[in-house]
Amino acid sequence: MTTIETPAPQPSGALSSGSRLFALAGRYGTFAAFLALVVFNMAVTPNFLSWQTLNVNLTQVATIVIVATGMTLVIATGGIDLSVGSLMAIAGALAPMIFMGRFWPVENMGLAVALAFLIPVVVAGLFGLFNGLLVTRFSIQPIIATLVLFIAGRGIAQVMTNGNLQVFKNEGFQFIAMGRIAGIPAQVVLMIVIAALAFALVRYTVIGRQIIAVGGNEKAARLTGIPVRRVKLFVYMVSGALSGLAGLVVVARNSASDANLVGLGMELDAIAAVAVGGTLLTGGRANIVGTVLGAFVIQLVRYTLLANGVPDAAALIVKAGLIVLAVFIQQRADKH
């Protein structure tokens, strides 16, 4: 009597080569893209390894990381914040008005500069809280809720300044962008501190675990007693405040505040950094280290194109393509 041999069943955890490739791309793709860009620029772009080039890229990426850190927390809850660029414009318009005496006579410049840091960040945080209220209290979809300030916020900044360019020179205020701490640009130090605090928040605190839980399954999180509404209000407020801080860095670096241009297109940069960094756009994951790497990839893509004679408009197409590719890889990796 003959027996028919059947192949042994494959273990359920076994992955096909294609699935394994997507899993590896999802985990290490951002770092690999960063290394590839560095190697390419070392071979092709003149003076890429100079200190000046390093300084340019670090200072340019700082604001992207600051904004993208707040965006990571929002996206981790299953939301999105399109108002970040407009909130940068509002904060950037408000700060010079404070220390230039547009609201009241400046008698103590030190106090005026301190208020120019504090008030715009608080105002931007309150606008972020407004976004959160639209999402939680009125159950408006995040993309629609934040679209309100995406449109109106820049208009508010333009009305505040009558559409005029505010030019200034104030060493105390501009230290945030032009100063150095132990030889490192102050804005880079600020970027590192904010990223480190956000990493610790997500990794080691109760609110961090609640953010992930809300994004993973909001209904289950609510049933387990997590204050879902409070968590969402918190992340939108943080995103708004960090956007305001980034706006201060931009105007301090430029020695001028232009409500028409400050923060323009930052929404795309921040979302691209988060997506490329591995945070799921559907929520439930917050990869702060990945976001930082994603921001560096976005900045290096822009620098590579500009340094090799490609128009800046082309960088927008490339960034959009990176978002699509990152989401595709995430979806394929999650299916397996």
Side-chain angles (χ1 to χ4, degrees):
M1 183 176 180
T2 59
T3 59
I4 300 174
E5 294 186 1
T6 57
Q10 294 293 320
S12 59
L15 293 175
S16 67
S17 58
S19 301
R20 199 175 299 117
L21 182 63
F22 279 113
L24 287 172
R27 180 170 296 181
Y28 304 112
T30 307
F31 186 64
F34 174 72
L35 288 180
L37 283 166
V38 170
V39 171
F40 176 83
N41 279 288
M42 288 171 61
V44 175
T45 306
N47 303 316
F48 178 72
L49 294 180
S50 67
W51 283 110
Q52 183 179 0
T53 300
L54 177 63
N55 184 67
V56 167
N57 280 297
L58 283 176
T59 53
Q60 290 292 329
V61 82
T63 49
I64 300 176
V65 170
I66 292 170
V67 176
T69 299
M71 185 73 78
T72 302
L73 300 180
V74 171
I75 288 178
T77 64
I80 200 163
D81 190 352
L82 298 182
S83 68
V84 291
S86 296
L87 295 186
M88 287 177 65
I90 290 174
L94 185 57
M97 296 175 73
I98 294 173
F99 64 74
M100 291 171 71
R102 300 290 173 82
F103 297 117
W104 57 78
V106 176
E107 297 178 358
N108 186 328
M109 184 54 71
L111 177 60
V113 168
L115 291 175
F117 284 124
L118 179 62
I119 293 176
V121 173
V122 170
V123 168
L126 291 174
F127 275 119
L129 193 62
F130 171 76
N131 285 333
L133 284 172
L134 291 180
V135 172
T136 58
R137 184 67 60 87
F138 299 101
S139 301
I140 300 174
Q141 288 291 327
I143 195 169
I144 303 300
T146 58
L147 189 64
V148 173
L149 280 175
F150 171 80
I151 297 169
R154 195 166 296 279
I156 293 171
Q158 290 169 345
V159 169
M160 287 167 55
T161 61
N162 292 319
N164 296 324
L165 178 69
Q166 298 184 96
V167 180
F168 58 85
K169 185 176 182 181
N170 186 304
E171 291 184 3
F173 177 75
Q174 291 182 270
F175 181 83
I176 193 174
M178 313 292 281
R180 289 181 175 270
I181 300 173
I184 304 172
Q187 57 188 307
V188 176
V189 174
L190 185 64
M191 171 191 76
I192 294 170
V193 169
I194 288 172
L197 289 175
F199 177 82
L201 175 81
V202 171
R203 191 77 176 269
Y204 301 113
T205 68
V206 173
I207 186 68
R209 290 190 286 273
Q210 290 176 341
I211 289 170
I212 304 303
V214 170
N217 190 324
E218 183 176 330
K219 188 175 291 186
R222 186 176 282 108
L223 289 174
T224 57
I226 291 175
V228 173
R229 180 177 294 180
R230 217 177 306 161
V231 170
K232 288 188 175 183
L233 289 174
F234 172 76
V235 296
Y236 280 100
M237 183 177 65
V238 169
S239 179
L242 290 179
S243 299
L245 184 59
L248 301 186
V249 173
V250 170
V251 298
R253 186 170 61 215
N254 296 337
S255 302
S257 173
D258 186 349
N260 300 295
L261 296 178
V262 172
L264 192 64
M266 182 57 79
E267 303 83 14
L268 177 59
D269 284 344
I271 294 170
V274 174
V276 172
T279 295
L280 293 176
L281 295 183
T282 52
R285 185 189 301 170
N287 189 344
I288 299 296
V289 175
T291 294
V292 174
L293 269 177
F296 273 90
V297 168
I298 298 302
Q299 171 57 29
L300 279 177
V301 165
R302 176 190 291 154
Y303 175 83
T304 303
L305 293 173
L306 290 176
N308 290 280
V310 180
D312 190 38
L316 298 175
I317 300 172
V318 175
K319 282 185 281 188
L322 286 173
I323 295 175
V324 173
L325 179 62
V327 173
F328 174 73
I329 291 173
Q330 287 177 8
Q331 289 179 338
R332 297 292 296 182
D334 287 343
K335 284 182 180 179
H336 303 283

